[in-house]
Structure formats: structure tokens, C-alpha cells
Amino acid sequence: MSGADQSSAAFCAELVRSHDFDRYAATLFVPADKRRSLLALYAFNTEITRVRELVKQPLPGEIRLQWWTDMLAGAGHGDVEQNPVAAELLLAIRAHDLSVDRLSKLIDVHIFDLYNDPMPDLALLESHFRDTLGTLLFSSAKILGDGSEASAHVAEHAGLAQGVAWIITRLPYDTMRRQLFIPQDMLLQNGSSADQIFAGKMTPGIRTTLDRLISGAQEQLATAQGMLADVSPAARAAFLPMALVKHDLAQMARADHDPFELHVRSRLRTLWTLWRASRSV
């Protein structure tokens, strides 16, 4: 590996370690020769998902996301290879035949994040998770050697469960910026509203809505775990984060859990949970 390659790879590793420790930690339990490509994929995801944090208005965010779309289409502006994440991602795409179409769709879906439009219903939320988290899990499995239909099915179910855990974890942040990922139709059906979410106070309607989401996510996770045996042994490590999701959903399901308070899983707990899961894959 040349000095420039080493620098780009190190940049991606540090970006993921700093902004997405769960996925960084998961790469510690995969073969070393696959780690670089996984970190490139996760660094790309970090760049896309944190655009909302880096801009004050949607338009500059859309411009940033368009740069990544153009890069994947081979129409990048400027010297793409000078961007360490783009350079590493392109290497990973070529090495593992990752789907450019799916990665481009991931970018397109995250345009929703730039605006404060409420998530209208569960169907759209699940579509969002399939095209983002499901794509990440499937691409990870492909890097580890399994791009089969079985792997795609596991990724879809696991992505849906992971997404629910993520939006509930993010609730304190999203409430402050008045962004709603909890499906609006579910809130209304349970006698609640976006304004009650933004007030940051638990109500029976909010509790019922979250319990339904958590229960559905646990069912999705159980389905994914039941199908994992159909994935090649070498690629099952791509789904190690399911152990973290299982832990988080169990905590969120507790009656005394307040989703409007910030709950940060310790890095030690993350590493321990992943290590235990790695022993059984």
C-alpha cells in the first residue's frame, strides 16, 4: 500500500471511529484483509448521514449529496481521488463489485434528512431503512463474500430493526431540531402528535407508538436471526451489529426507559456485546 493509500485508509478509519463507533468496533471482528473496504463503506455512510449536521440550510446539503451522487456516476467535480473517502470507496466498489445503484439510492433517500418534513407513515419509514441501513448491511456482507439473495433478505430485516433502534436513540437530538422520524400516522392513531414529541414529554400515545415500533423491530430482528444460517459463515460477521440492536431494543422496551433522555451505550459494553456475538457466528 502506498503512502497516499495508507493516509486515505487511516483517514477513513479515524472518521468511522470518531462518528460511528458501533460500526468501527464491528470491523475489529472481521478478517484484517476485509477491514479496509468495510471502513471505506462506513466512512462514506458517515459523510452522507452527517451532512445535516454540517449545513444550516437544505440547499447546501443537497449540493454536498449531489457531489457524492456525481462521484459514483463517474462525473465527479474536481479531483475525486483527492477526497480520501471517495478514493477508498471507489477501491472498495471495484474490489467487491458493490452496487453503485444501491449506494446512489442511499444518498437520494438521505435528502429527506435535510428537511423537517415529518415521516408520514410506517411504510415510508421502512422503505427509508431498506434503502439505507439495509443497503449498508448487504454491502458489508458482499465485502465479506456473500452477495446472495439470502444475505439480502437478512440485511433487509436487520436493517428495519436497526433503523427503529436508531430513531429512538436519536429522539433527544431530533426533538431539539424539530425533526420527526416517528411515523406521523401511528402517532395520530394513538392520540398523539408531532407537537407532543417536540415537547419532549412522555404521553400514553407516545408510549404506545414507541412500544409498537419496538415490538415490530424485535420481530424483524428475530426473523433476521432465524435466516442467518443461510448466509455463508464468512459473511455472518457483517451482521454482528444485530447484537447491539437486540440489546438496545430490550433497554428501550423497559417501562422505566425515557426516550427523551440521552442514553449512550458505553464503548466497553459495545465491544463486549460484539465480542460475545462473534463467538457464535
Side-chain angles (χ1 to χ4, degrees):
M1 190 187 302
S2 70
D5 287 344
Q6 288 179 333
S7 177
S8 294
F11 180 91
C12 289
E14 179 57 26
L15 182 67
V16 179
R17 189 192 69 80
S18 299
H19 295 280
D20 189 356
F21 186 77
D22 286 2
R23 290 191 177 90
Y24 175 81
T27 67
L28 302 178
F29 299 94
V30 304
D33 64 330
K34 305 292 187 180
R35 196 170 298 146
R36 180 181 176 186
S37 291
L38 285 174
L39 287 168
L41 175 68
Y42 300 155
F44 160 71
N45 182 64
T46 297
E47 290 284 66
I48 299 305
T49 56
R50 73 185 187 128
V51 165
R52 170 67 193 250
E53 314 294 337
L54 300 175
V55 299
K56 295 181 179 180
Q57 298 294 331
L59 183 57
E62 288 209 40
I63 292 171
R64 284 174 177 258
L65 293 180
Q66 187 62 49
W67 186 91
W68 287 98
T69 300
D70 292 344
M71 182 277 293
L72 288 175
H77 305 290
D79 191 346
V80 169
E81 296 294 334
Q82 294 304 307
N83 182 304
V85 178
E88 286 292 296
L89 179 64
L90 290 174
L91 286 174
I93 289 171
R94 289 194 290 266
H96 305 285
D97 193 28
L98 301 183
S99 171
V100 170
D101 288 343
R102 292 196 66 164
L103 295 176
S104 297
K105 184 66 179 294
L106 180 151
I107 298 170
D108 291 343
V109 171
H110 277 300
I111 292 175
F112 178 89
D113 304 358
L114 303 176
Y115 295 85
N116 283 354
D117 298 331
M119 182 63 69
D121 53 50
L122 182 60
L124 189 60
L125 181 66
E126 290 181 341
S127 176
H128 188 288
F129 292 153
R130 276 192 293 269
D131 290 331
T132 55
L133 297 171
T135 289
L136 277 180
L137 286 165
F138 177 65
S139 299
S140 301
K142 197 166 186 183
I143 287 171
L144 294 180
D146 190 341
S148 68
E149 186 174 337
S151 180
H153 287 321
V154 175
E156 178 175 335
H157 291 288
L160 293 177
Q162 191 175 47
V164 169
W166 174 244
I167 63 171
I168 296 177
T169 298
R170 290 281 309 178
L171 204 52
Y173 297 106
D174 292 340
T175 296
M176 285 190 295
R177 66 188 189 187
R178 297 184 68 82
Q179 186 163 35
L180 184 67
F181 280 94
I182 307 299
Q184 193 172 36
D185 66 334
M186 293 181 67
L187 288 170
L188 294 175
Q189 289 166 11
N190 294 310
S192 189
S193 66
D195 286 339
Q196 289 182 346
I197 289 279
F198 297 147
K201 302 281 181 146
M202 182 59 73
T203 68
I206 293 173
R207 183 73 263 174
T208 298
T209 300
L210 295 182
D211 284 346
R212 283 182 56 195
L213 286 170
I214 292 166
S215 176
Q218 289 174 322
E219 291 176 7
Q220 294 286 352
L221 191 62
T223 298
Q225 290 174 322
M227 301 170 66
L228 197 56
D230 296 329
V231 176
S232 67
R236 290 174 195 165
F239 300 102
L240 284 176
M242 293 191 336
L244 300 176
V245 175
K246 183 177 182 179
H247 171 271
D248 292 346
L249 290 173
Q251 296 299 308
M252 293 169 182
R254 291 167 52 108
D256 61 350
H257 182 271
D258 185 352
F260 295 108
E261 289 186 3
L262 186 61
H263 301 273
V264 180
R265 186 183 346 96
S266 73
R267 292 191 169 189
L268 181 60
R269 164 63 71 178
T270 296
L271 290 166
W272 171 252
T273 302
L274 290 170
W275 176 79
R276 289 191 64 187
S278 72
R279 306 275 290 179
S280 60
V281 297

Short mmCIF file of all heavy atoms in Angstrom, two decimals, residues 13-57:
data_model
loop_
_atom_site.label_atom_id
_atom_site.label_comp_id
_atom_site.label_asym_id
_atom_site.label_seq_id
_atom_site.Cartn_x
_atom_site.Cartn_y
_atom_site.Cartn_z
N ALA A 13 -10.64 5.24 8.68
CA ALA A 13 -10.74 4.53 9.96
C ALA A 13 -11.00 5.50 11.10
O ALA A 13 -11.86 5.25 11.97
CB ALA A 13 -9.45 3.74 10.22
N GLU A 14 -10.31 6.62 11.10
CA GLU A 14 -10.49 7.60 12.18
C GLU A 14 -11.85 8.27 12.10
O GLU A 14 -12.48 8.54 13.12
CB GLU A 14 -9.38 8.65 12.13
CG GLU A 14 -9.48 9.73 13.19
CD GLU A 14 -9.49 9.17 14.61
OE1 GLU A 14 -8.96 8.07 14.84
OE2 GLU A 14 -10.06 9.85 15.50
N LEU A 15 -12.33 8.52 10.88
CA LEU A 15 -13.65 9.13 10.71
C LEU A 15 -14.74 8.22 11.28
O LEU A 15 -15.63 8.68 12.01
CB LEU A 15 -13.91 9.38 9.22
CG LEU A 15 -15.24 10.06 8.86
CD1 LEU A 15 -15.26 11.50 9.37
CD2 LEU A 15 -15.45 10.03 7.34
N VAL A 16 -14.65 6.94 10.98
CA VAL A 16 -15.65 6.00 11.48
C VAL A 16 -15.50 5.81 12.99
O VAL A 16 -16.50 5.79 13.73
CB VAL A 16 -15.54 4.64 10.76
CG1 VAL A 16 -16.56 3.65 11.29
CG2 VAL A 16 -15.73 4.83 9.26
N ARG A 17 -14.29 5.71 13.47
CA ARG A 17 -14.07 5.54 14.91
C ARG A 17 -14.65 6.73 15.69
O ARG A 17 -15.25 6.55 16.76
CB ARG A 17 -12.58 5.42 15.22
CG ARG A 17 -12.27 5.02 16.66
CD ARG A 17 -10.80 5.18 16.99
NE ARG A 17 -10.43 6.59 17.02
CZ ARG A 17 -10.66 7.41 18.05
NH1 ARG A 17 -11.26 6.95 19.14
NH2 ARG A 17 -10.29 8.67 18.00
N SER A 18 -14.52 7.92 15.14
CA SER A 18 -14.96 9.13 15.84
C SER A 18 -16.47 9.35 15.76
O SER A 18 -17.08 9.87 16.71
CB SER A 18 -14.26 10.37 15.25
OG SER A 18 -12.87 10.27 15.40
N HIS A 19 -17.09 8.96 14.63
CA HIS A 19 -18.50 9.31 14.40
C HIS A 19 -19.45 8.12 14.37
O HIS A 19 -20.66 8.30 14.42
CB HIS A 19 -18.63 10.07 13.08
CG HIS A 19 -17.95 11.40 13.08
ND1 HIS A 19 -18.50 12.52 13.66
CD2 HIS A 19 -16.73 11.79 12.60
CE1 HIS A 19 -17.68 13.56 13.52
NE2 HIS A 19 -16.60 13.13 12.89
N ASP A 20 -18.91 6.90 14.29
CA ASP A 20 -19.78 5.72 14.20
C ASP A 20 -19.06 4.55 14.86
O ASP A 20 -18.68 3.58 14.21
CB ASP A 20 -20.07 5.43 12.72
CG ASP A 20 -21.13 4.36 12.52
OD1 ASP A 20 -21.59 3.77 13.52
OD2 ASP A 20 -21.49 4.09 11.36
N PHE A 21 -18.92 4.65 16.19
CA PHE A 21 -18.09 3.68 16.89
C PHE A 21 -18.65 2.26 16.80
O PHE A 21 -17.89 1.30 16.76
CB PHE A 21 -17.91 4.07 18.36
CG PHE A 21 -16.95 3.17 19.09
CD1 PHE A 21 -15.58 3.31 18.90
CD2 PHE A 21 -17.41 2.16 19.93
CE1 PHE A 21 -14.69 2.46 19.54
CE2 PHE A 21 -16.54 1.32 20.58
CZ PHE A 21 -15.16 1.46 20.39
N ASP A 22 -19.96 2.13 16.74
CA ASP A 22 -20.55 0.79 16.65
C ASP A 22 -20.01 0.04 15.43
O ASP A 22 -19.60 -1.12 15.53
CB ASP A 22 -22.07 0.86 16.56
CG ASP A 22 -22.72 1.23 17.89
OD1 ASP A 22 -21.99 1.46 18.87
OD2 ASP A 22 -23.96 1.30 17.93
N ARG A 23 -20.06 0.70 14.28
CA ARG A 23 -19.58 0.03 13.06
C ARG A 23 -18.06 -0.11 13.08
O ARG A 23 -17.52 -1.11 12.59
CB ARG A 23 -20.06 0.78 11.82
CG ARG A 23 -21.56 0.65 11.58
CD ARG A 23 -21.97 1.16 10.21
NE ARG A 23 -23.41 0.95 10.00
CZ ARG A 23 -24.35 1.84 10.32
NH1 ARG A 23 -24.00 2.99 10.86
NH2 ARG A 23 -25.62 1.57 10.12
N TYR A 24 -17.37 0.87 13.61
CA TYR A 24 -15.91 0.74 13.73
C TYR A 24 -15.56 -0.48 14.57
O TYR A 24 -14.71 -1.30 14.19
CB TYR A 24 -15.31 1.99 14.37
CG TYR A 24 -13.84 1.88 14.64
CD1 TYR A 24 -12.91 2.10 13.62
CD2 TYR A 24 -13.36 1.52 15.91
CE1 TYR A 24 -11.55 1.97 13.86
CE2 TYR A 24 -12.00 1.40 16.15
CZ TYR A 24 -11.10 1.61 15.12
OH TYR A 24 -9.75 1.47 15.35
N ALA A 25 -16.23 -0.62 15.71
CA ALA A 25 -15.94 -1.75 16.60
C ALA A 25 -16.25 -3.07 15.91
O ALA A 25 -15.52 -4.06 16.10
CB ALA A 25 -16.75 -1.60 17.89
N ALA A 26 -17.32 -3.10 15.12
CA ALA A 26 -17.68 -4.35 14.43
C ALA A 26 -16.59 -4.79 13.46
O ALA A 26 -16.40 -6.00 13.24
CB ALA A 26 -19.00 -4.18 13.70
N THR A 27 -15.85 -3.84 12.88
CA THR A 27 -14.78 -4.21 11.93
C THR A 27 -13.61 -4.89 12.63
O THR A 27 -12.77 -5.50 11.96
CB THR A 27 -14.26 -2.99 11.14
OG1 THR A 27 -13.57 -2.09 12.02
CG2 THR A 27 -15.40 -2.25 10.45
N LEU A 28 -13.52 -4.76 13.95
CA LEU A 28 -12.43 -5.40 14.68
C LEU A 28 -12.59 -6.91 14.74
O LEU A 28 -11.65 -7.61 15.12
CB LEU A 28 -12.35 -4.83 16.10
CG LEU A 28 -12.14 -3.31 16.21
CD1 LEU A 28 -12.13 -2.89 17.67
CD2 LEU A 28 -10.86 -2.88 15.51
N PHE A 29 -13.77 -7.40 14.35
CA PHE A 29 -14.06 -8.82 14.45
C PHE A 29 -14.20 -9.48 13.07
O PHE A 29 -14.79 -10.55 12.96
CB PHE A 29 -15.34 -9.03 15.27
CG PHE A 29 -15.23 -8.50 16.68
CD1 PHE A 29 -15.66 -7.22 16.98
CD2 PHE A 29 -14.67 -9.27 17.68
CE1 PHE A 29 -15.55 -6.71 18.27
CE2 PHE A 29 -14.55 -8.77 18.97
CZ PHE A 29 -14.99 -7.49 19.26
N VAL A 30 -13.66 -8.83 12.05
CA VAL A 30 -13.67 -9.40 10.70
C VAL A 30 -12.23 -9.61 10.26
O VAL A 30 -11.30 -9.03 10.85
CB VAL A 30 -14.41 -8.48 9.70
CG1 VAL A 30 -15.82 -8.19 10.19
CG2 VAL A 30 -13.65 -7.18 9.47
N PRO A 31 -12.00 -10.43 9.25
CA PRO A 31 -10.62 -10.63 8.76
C PRO A 31 -9.97 -9.30 8.39
O PRO A 31 -10.61 -8.42 7.81
CB PRO A 31 -10.81 -11.53 7.54
CG PRO A 31 -12.08 -12.26 7.81
CD PRO A 31 -12.96 -11.28 8.53
N ALA A 32 -8.70 -9.18 8.71
CA ALA A 32 -7.98 -7.92 8.51
C ALA A 32 -8.00 -7.47 7.05
O ALA A 32 -8.05 -6.26 6.77
CB ALA A 32 -6.54 -8.06 9.00
N ASP A 33 -7.99 -8.42 6.12
CA ASP A 33 -7.94 -8.04 4.71
C ASP A 33 -9.27 -7.49 4.20
O ASP A 33 -9.33 -6.95 3.09
CB ASP A 33 -7.49 -9.22 3.85
CG ASP A 33 -8.47 -10.38 3.88
OD1 ASP A 33 -9.16 -10.56 4.92
OD2 ASP A 33 -8.56 -11.12 2.88
N LYS A 34 -10.33 -7.59 4.98
CA LYS A 34 -11.64 -7.04 4.60
C LYS A 34 -11.92 -5.72 5.30
O LYS A 34 -12.84 -5.00 4.92
CB LYS A 34 -12.75 -8.03 4.95
CG LYS A 34 -12.58 -9.43 4.38
CD LYS A 34 -12.73 -9.43 2.87
CE LYS A 34 -12.72 -10.86 2.33
NZ LYS A 34 -12.87 -10.91 0.86
N ARG A 35 -11.15 -5.43 6.33
CA ARG A 35 -11.46 -4.28 7.20
C ARG A 35 -11.38 -2.96 6.45
O ARG A 35 -12.22 -2.06 6.65
CB ARG A 35 -10.49 -4.29 8.38
CG ARG A 35 -10.93 -3.42 9.55
CD ARG A 35 -10.04 -3.68 10.75
NE ARG A 35 -10.17 -5.07 11.18
CZ ARG A 35 -9.16 -5.77 11.69
NH1 ARG A 35 -7.96 -5.24 11.80
NH2 ARG A 35 -9.36 -7.02 12.06
N ARG A 36 -10.40 -2.83 5.58
CA ARG A 36 -10.23 -1.55 4.88
C ARG A 36 -11.45 -1.22 4.03
O ARG A 36 -11.92 -0.07 4.03
CB ARG A 36 -8.97 -1.61 4.01
CG ARG A 36 -8.71 -0.33 3.23
CD ARG A 36 -7.47 -0.47 2.37
NE ARG A 36 -7.26 0.71 1.55
CZ ARG A 36 -6.32 0.81 0.62
NH1 ARG A 36 -5.50 -0.21 0.40
NH2 ARG A 36 -6.20 1.93 -0.08
N SER A 37 -11.98 -2.19 3.31
CA SER A 37 -13.14 -1.94 2.46
C SER A 37 -14.38 -1.62 3.30
O SER A 37 -15.18 -0.75 2.95
CB SER A 37 -13.42 -3.14 1.56
OG SER A 37 -12.40 -3.28 0.59
N LEU A 38 -14.55 -2.32 4.42
CA LEU A 38 -15.68 -2.03 5.30
C LEU A 38 -15.58 -0.60 5.84
O LEU A 38 -16.58 0.13 5.89
CB LEU A 38 -15.72 -3.03 6.45
CG LEU A 38 -16.22 -4.43 6.12
CD1 LEU A 38 -16.06 -5.34 7.33
CD2 LEU A 38 -17.67 -4.41 5.66
N LEU A 39 -14.40 -0.21 6.25
CA LEU A 39 -14.23 1.14 6.79
C LEU A 39 -14.46 2.20 5.71
O LEU A 39 -14.98 3.28 6.01
CB LEU A 39 -12.84 1.29 7.40
CG LEU A 39 -12.64 0.55 8.73
CD1 LEU A 39 -11.17 0.51 9.11
CD2 LEU A 39 -13.46 1.19 9.84
N ALA A 40 -14.12 1.89 4.47
CA ALA A 40 -14.41 2.81 3.38
C ALA A 40 -15.91 2.98 3.20
O ALA A 40 -16.43 4.10 3.04
CB ALA A 40 -13.78 2.31 2.08
N LEU A 41 -16.64 1.86 3.24
CA LEU A 41 -18.09 1.91 3.12
C LEU A 41 -18.70 2.70 4.27
O LEU A 41 -19.58 3.55 4.06
CB LEU A 41 -18.64 0.48 3.12
CG LEU A 41 -20.16 0.34 3.11
CD1 LEU A 41 -20.76 0.82 1.79
CD2 LEU A 41 -20.55 -1.13 3.37
N TYR A 42 -18.25 2.45 5.49
CA TYR A 42 -18.82 3.12 6.65
C TYR A 42 -18.42 4.60 6.70
O TYR A 42 -19.19 5.44 7.19
CB TYR A 42 -18.39 2.41 7.94
CG TYR A 42 -18.83 0.97 8.00
CD1 TYR A 42 -18.15 0.03 8.78
CD2 TYR A 42 -19.93 0.51 7.27
CE1 TYR A 42 -18.55 -1.29 8.85
CE2 TYR A 42 -20.33 -0.82 7.32
CZ TYR A 42 -19.63 -1.71 8.10
OH TYR A 42 -20.03 -3.03 8.15
N ALA A 43 -17.23 4.91 6.21
CA ALA A 43 -16.82 6.32 6.14
C ALA A 43 -17.71 7.07 5.15
O ALA A 43 -18.12 8.22 5.40
CB ALA A 43 -15.36 6.44 5.74
N PHE A 44 -18.01 6.45 4.03
CA PHE A 44 -18.95 7.03 3.06
C PHE A 44 -20.30 7.29 3.73
O PHE A 44 -20.88 8.37 3.60
CB PHE A 44 -19.09 6.08 1.88
CG PHE A 44 -20.32 6.28 1.05
CD1 PHE A 44 -20.47 7.40 0.24
CD2 PHE A 44 -21.34 5.33 1.07
CE1 PHE A 44 -21.62 7.57 -0.53
CE2 PHE A 44 -22.48 5.49 0.32
CZ PHE A 44 -22.63 6.62 -0.49
N ASN A 45 -20.80 6.30 4.45
CA ASN A 45 -22.09 6.47 5.13
C ASN A 45 -22.03 7.61 6.14
O ASN A 45 -22.98 8.40 6.26
CB ASN A 45 -22.47 5.17 5.83
CG ASN A 45 -23.81 5.27 6.51
OD1 ASN A 45 -24.84 5.45 5.88
ND2 ASN A 45 -23.80 5.18 7.84
N THR A 46 -20.91 7.70 6.85
CA THR A 46 -20.75 8.80 7.82
C THR A 46 -20.80 10.15 7.13
O THR A 46 -21.45 11.08 7.61
CB THR A 46 -19.42 8.64 8.57
OG1 THR A 46 -19.44 7.42 9.33
CG2 THR A 46 -19.17 9.80 9.51
N GLU A 47 -20.14 10.26 5.99
CA GLU A 47 -20.14 11.53 5.26
C GLU A 47 -21.56 11.90 4.82
O GLU A 47 -21.94 13.07 4.86
CB GLU A 47 -19.23 11.43 4.04
CG GLU A 47 -17.76 11.36 4.36
CD GLU A 47 -17.19 12.72 4.76
OE1 GLU A 47 -17.61 13.25 5.83
OE2 GLU A 47 -16.34 13.24 4.03
N ILE A 48 -22.32 10.90 4.40
CA ILE A 48 -23.68 11.17 3.93
C ILE A 48 -24.60 11.54 5.09
O ILE A 48 -25.36 12.51 5.03
CB ILE A 48 -24.25 9.95 3.17
CG1 ILE A 48 -23.39 9.62 1.94
CG2 ILE A 48 -25.70 10.21 2.76
CD1 ILE A 48 -23.19 10.77 0.99
N THR A 49 -24.55 10.77 6.17
CA THR A 49 -25.50 10.97 7.26
C THR A 49 -25.21 12.22 8.09
O THR A 49 -26.12 12.74 8.74
CB THR A 49 -25.55 9.75 8.19
OG1 THR A 49 -24.23 9.47 8.68
CG2 THR A 49 -26.08 8.53 7.44
N ARG A 50 -23.99 12.71 8.06
CA ARG A 50 -23.71 13.90 8.87
C ARG A 50 -23.81 15.20 8.09
O ARG A 50 -23.53 16.26 8.63
CB ARG A 50 -22.35 13.78 9.55
CG ARG A 50 -21.13 13.93 8.66
CD ARG A 50 -19.87 13.68 9.43
NE ARG A 50 -18.68 13.98 8.63
CZ ARG A 50 -17.70 14.78 9.04
NH1 ARG A 50 -17.74 15.33 10.23
NH2 ARG A 50 -16.65 15.01 8.26
N VAL A 51 -24.25 15.12 6.84
CA VAL A 51 -24.44 16.35 6.07
C VAL A 51 -25.40 17.28 6.80
O VAL A 51 -25.19 18.50 6.87
CB VAL A 51 -24.95 16.03 4.65
CG1 VAL A 51 -25.49 17.29 3.97
CG2 VAL A 51 -23.82 15.45 3.81
N ARG A 52 -26.48 16.72 7.36
CA ARG A 52 -27.46 17.54 8.08
C ARG A 52 -26.80 18.33 9.21
O ARG A 52 -27.19 19.46 9.51
CB ARG A 52 -28.58 16.66 8.62
CG ARG A 52 -29.54 17.34 9.60
CD ARG A 52 -30.39 18.41 8.93
NE ARG A 52 -31.07 19.26 9.89
CZ ARG A 52 -32.38 19.26 10.11
NH1 ARG A 52 -33.16 18.44 9.43
NH2 ARG A 52 -32.91 20.08 10.99
N GLU A 53 -25.79 17.75 9.85
CA GLU A 53 -25.13 18.42 10.97
C GLU A 53 -24.19 19.53 10.49
O GLU A 53 -23.84 20.42 11.27
CB GLU A 53 -24.31 17.40 11.78
CG GLU A 53 -25.03 16.10 12.10
CD GLU A 53 -26.22 16.31 13.02
OE1 GLU A 53 -26.23 17.32 13.75
OE2 GLU A 53 -27.13 15.46 13.00
N LEU A 54 -23.79 19.47 9.23
CA LEU A 54 -22.76 20.38 8.73
C LEU A 54 -23.33 21.59 7.99
O LEU A 54 -22.58 22.51 7.68
CB LEU A 54 -21.81 19.62 7.80
CG LEU A 54 -21.05 18.45 8.43
CD1 LEU A 54 -20.23 17.73 7.37
CD2 LEU A 54 -20.15 18.93 9.55
N VAL A 55 -24.61 21.58 7.71
CA VAL A 55 -25.20 22.69 6.95
C VAL A 55 -26.36 23.30 7.74
O VAL A 55 -26.98 22.65 8.57
CB VAL A 55 -25.72 22.22 5.57
CG1 VAL A 55 -24.57 21.67 4.73
CG2 VAL A 55 -26.82 21.18 5.71
N LYS A 56 -26.63 24.57 7.47
CA LYS A 56 -27.72 25.27 8.15
C LYS A 56 -28.98 25.31 7.31
O LYS A 56 -30.07 25.53 7.85
CB LYS A 56 -27.28 26.69 8.51
CG LYS A 56 -26.15 26.74 9.53
CD LYS A 56 -25.78 28.18 9.87
CE LYS A 56 -24.66 28.21 10.91
NZ LYS A 56 -24.28 29.60 11.26
N GLN A 57 -28.84 25.12 6.00
CA GLN A 57 -29.98 25.15 5.09
C GLN A 57 -29.95 23.91 4.20
O GLN A 57 -28.88 23.36 3.93
CB GLN A 57 -29.94 26.41 4.22
CG GLN A 57 -30.03 27.72 5.00
CD GLN A 57 -31.38 27.90 5.68
OE1 GLN A 57 -32.40 27.39 5.20
NE2 GLN A 57 -31.38 28.60 6.80
#
